Amino acid sequence: MKLSVTIPGLVTKSGDNAHVDWRVKARKVAKERRLVRLVLGAPRPWVGQHVVTLVRVSPRPLDSAGLASALKGVEDEVAAWLGVDDGQAERARRVLWVKVWEKGAPRENAVRIVVEPLAPGLEEAAAAHPVLGLLLRAHGWAA
């Protein structure tokens, strides 16, 4: 089963270089997590291996570290919804996290979450989707 949801209006910003009080950052992340929880609904533990793609839609891009930082709260809440710890699940090869940026119109901000099971045949999945194949090989999931 594949799940794809878009949360329009969710503004995610990199916190790496933001010189703000930790309480301000904590409130921002808590707000992001509440919105994601509201949209996804009740937790649904998923079985098997999955690819979770988090798409940040915004007028301007971030570098890879900034993108990871901006989507960390969303990633944490999706992991909680899946019933896994994001770091442990990735190390155990249960979840492959993919974070990408998509250009939005001026003032357009959103986050799209796509959760899809990894096909039993990793080689077929890698062959069918070149970018996914590259990620799977980079993480040691496929030959």
Side-chain angles (χ1 to χ4, degrees):
M1 179 176 105
K2 178 179 176 177
L3 170 83
S4 179
V5 296
T6 301
I7 306 171
L10 179 54
V11 179
T12 56
K13 295 181 180 178
S14 173
D16 286 348
N17 296 322
H19 300 288
V20 296
D21 186 65
W22 65 270
R23 289 171 286 225
V24 172
K25 184 176 178 181
R27 278 194 297 272
K28 177 189 96 59
V29 171
K31 178 184 171 189
E32 290 173 1
R33 290 190 67 165
R34 274 193 309 275
L35 272 170
V36 171
R37 191 177 317 122
L38 181 68
V39 170
L40 292 178
R44 297 194 300 189
W46 290 42
V47 179
Q49 295 177 318
H50 292 82
V51 176
V52 178
T53 305
L54 303 176
V55 182
R56 178 182 185 262
V57 180
S58 66
R60 294 194 176 156
L62 293 172
D63 63 9
S64 60
L67 184 62
S69 171
L71 292 171
K72 182 61 176 145
V74 175
E75 177 182 329
D76 288 343
E77 194 56 39
V78 172
W81 180 76
L82 289 171
V84 300
D85 172 86
D86 57 332
Q88 289 177 354
E90 189 164 29
R91 287 188 296 278
R93 296 186 178 167
R94 286 191 57 209
V95 178
L96 176 63
W97 298 97
V98 180
K99 298 167 192 91
V100 296
W101 169 73
E102 184 178 294
K103 183 165 180 58
R107 297 185 172 263
E108 178 187 13
N109 289 282
V111 172
R112 186 168 43 258
I113 302 166
V114 181
V115 181
E116 48 194 330
L118 204 52
L122 292 178
E123 300 301 327
E124 293 84 13
H129 303 287
V131 174
L132 179 59
L134 180 66
L135 284 169
L136 291 171
R137 285 188 293 279
H139 288 281
W141 287 41

